[in-house]
Amino acid sequence: MSFILTAVIMFIFWILLSGEFNIVLILSCIISSLFVSYISHDLLIGKTDIKLGLIRTLRFIKYIPWLMWQIVLSNIDLVKRTLHPRMPISPTIFSFRNELRTEMGMVALANSITLTPGTITIDVNKDEFIIHAVATELAEGLMEGEMQRRIKAIEGEAGV
Amino acid sequence: MDIIRTIISGILIATGCFLIVIAAIGVVRFPDFYTRMHPAGKGDTLGQGLVLTGLMVYEGFDLISVKLLIIIIFIFIANPTATHALAKAAYVAGVKPWVKDEGDGK
Amino acid sequence: MFNIAATVIVLAAALVIYRAIKGPRIYDRVLAVNVIGTKTVVLLALIGYIYERPHFLDIALVYAIINFIATIAFLKYRQTGGLD
């Protein structure tokens, strides 16, 4: 199942990138997408239940607008701090508990933390996230854990 | 209609260029490695995203703008990941973070 | 419009080269090179529009991937001393 799905995705991707249709191109497209998905069909889809994966993808799309707004806020904050003549920064390193179970969720949360105001992820393991914050007050904002709640909502119920 | 589209894309490209310049200034100006990663991870990502979105608006909807969208999505995933990998490598190697009022922390 | 944007981005990259030369650590240099690489992606896309040759976008896409993989590969080499 994951083999067919990967092959279809590769096929669509090829069409999008080339944008030309003739018999040689389409034939080499089919051959190469079948070959690539034969080698690596367990990388893209993995062992996740496909229906659950689809539901999570839809939930993630709903999460994107909020994330975009946070990215804009973080860039305004960054511009202020960079151009301020005295540089109002007080860097700290702190950690908080990791309550997520899926690897995809951890990746999403780590990337979201890096993109949102004043914080970047340094390390992730099974128990905790280690975060570097450019100012102490921003670290407290993250500790309230709204982002983790949202990612947990995307993960939803059981299943890996 | 065309003029409006050109103006919108001009605004987007100008904002993106501004953010890219800010990121460059930040990389030069911040005091230590960890703080330098903040502009590299955030300012650059959104700056590029805005410039490429500007090109997308200028182009209208066709295969080229889909290509641009693919580049934008890839950058939004890859750039924070590269930043994170750098931060982790430095953290494991034992680079000390700069702390206010306590030496220069090189 | 595209000419001005491309010039501004080149100037920003020139600013970052200062950090790549000065260091002081190897991680600062890798960071600077990564930042320059991501600016190059935008620059390639803009050049495609300046010369009206949309094929530059393919180069930009490939360059984005190479830039990411180069950073990851270098850091892995640095951490473990090998690429296995």
Side-chain angles (χ1 to χ4, degrees):
Chain A
M1 189 62 204
S2 64
F3 175 76
I4 299 166
L5 204 61
T6 315
V8 170
I9 291 171
M10 293 292 150
F11 189 81
I12 295 170
F13 197 63
W14 176 295
I15 299 284
L16 282 181
L17 285 185
S18 89
E20 278 177 52
F21 299 93
N22 64 48
I23 191 78
V24 181
L25 275 177
I26 295 291
L27 218 67
S28 54
C29 163
I30 291 171
I31 292 171
S32 54
S33 56
L34 283 177
F35 180 65
V36 166
S37 45
Y38 174 70
I39 299 175
S40 57
H41 63 93
D42 49 344
L43 281 181
L44 184 64
I45 310 284
K47 291 187 178 62
T48 317
D49 184 17
I50 285 167
K51 203 175 151 204
L52 192 63
L54 209 64
I55 294 172
R56 279 179 186 156
T57 312
L58 288 179
R59 287 202 198 118
F60 186 75
I61 289 170
K62 268 197 286 185
Y63 165 77
I64 287 176
W66 183 80
L67 182 64
M68 284 294 158
W69 176 237
Q70 292 293 312
I71 293 173
V72 171
L73 286 183
S74 93
N75 275 279
I76 294 170
D77 181 75
L78 178 78
V79 169
K80 260 193 304 205
R81 279 177 210 279
T82 311
L83 293 184
H84 197 286
R86 286 194 314 278
M87 303 207 92
I89 57 173
S90 50
T92 49
I93 288 185
F94 66 100
S95 62
F96 67 84
R97 244 165 61 77
N98 176 6
E99 293 168 6
L100 302 169
R101 284 156 302 167
T102 58
E103 283 188 350
M104 247 7 234
M106 288 179 207
V107 171
L109 182 56
N111 272 6
S112 308
I113 286 170
T114 300
L115 287 173
T116 45
T119 47
I120 46 177
T121 317
I122 291 175
D123 200 357
V124 185
N125 53 43
K126 272 205 150 35
D127 304 316
E128 56 183 7
F129 283 78
I130 301 173
I131 311 288
H132 180 270
V134 80
T136 333
E137 69 265 19
L138 293 169
E140 283 154 14
L142 188 67
M143 287 299 275
E144 287 166 16
E146 184 181 1
M147 195 179 283
Q148 175 136 296
R149 265 204 307 283
R150 279 174 191 261
I151 301 269
K152 265 182 94 165
I154 293 171
E155 268 192 347
E157 317 75 44
V160 177
Chain B
M1 193 59 209
D2 252 13
I3 289 179
I4 296 171
R5 226 167 59 190
T6 312
I7 290 172
I8 290 174
S9 70
I11 290 171
L12 284 172
I13 291 175
T15 321
C17 282
F18 175 70
L19 279 177
I20 285 176
V21 171
I22 290 292
I25 293 173
V27 169
V28 172
R29 200 174 163 222
F30 273 119
D32 87 319
F33 173 73
Y34 293 106
T35 43
R36 265 172 220 144
M37 278 184 318
H38 287 269
K42 296 190 243 292
D44 239 24
T45 313
L46 188 67
Q48 292 160 37
L50 283 177
V51 172
L52 294 177
T53 313
L55 291 179
M56 238 167 91
V57 171
Y58 182 84
E59 179 67 34
F61 185 80
D62 59 3
L63 266 179
I64 293 173
S65 64
V66 172
K67 236 177 251 180
L68 281 167
L69 186 66
I70 292 172
I71 298 179
I72 292 174
I73 292 172
F74 181 79
I75 282 175
F76 264 84
I77 297 170
N79 214 7
T81 313
T83 313
H84 162 66
L86 259 165
K88 188 179 176 182
Y91 188 70
V92 170
V95 179
K96 288 273 177 298
W98 178 86
V99 182
K100 214 167 200 174
D101 304 324
E102 282 182 16
D104 55 7
K106 271 191 183 168
Chain C
M1 180 165 82
F2 299 136
N3 289 313
I4 298 169
T7 316
V8 169
I9 289 171
V10 169
L11 289 178
L15 256 180
V16 179
I17 285 181
Y18 167 78
R19 180 54 69 196
I21 292 170
K22 183 137 180 289
R25 281 172 178 278
I26 194 148
Y27 299 108
D28 294 286
R29 295 179 214 268
V30 179
L31 176 71
V33 169
N34 186 31
V35 169
I36 291 172
T38 44
K39 287 185 200 326
T40 310
V41 175
V42 182
L43 195 60
L44 280 169
L46 282 170
I47 285 173
Y49 275 84
I50 291 170
Y51 295 115
E52 291 175 352
R53 292 172 78 170
H55 295 293
F56 269 89
L57 282 179
D58 297 324
I59 306 175
L61 183 57
V62 173
Y63 196 87
I65 296 170
I66 289 177
N67 185 40
F68 175 61
I69 292 175
T71 308
I72 299 291
F74 178 80
L75 291 171
K76 192 171 178 189
Y77 180 69
R78 177 82 189 159
Q79 262 184 338
T80 61
L83 285 176
D84 306 326

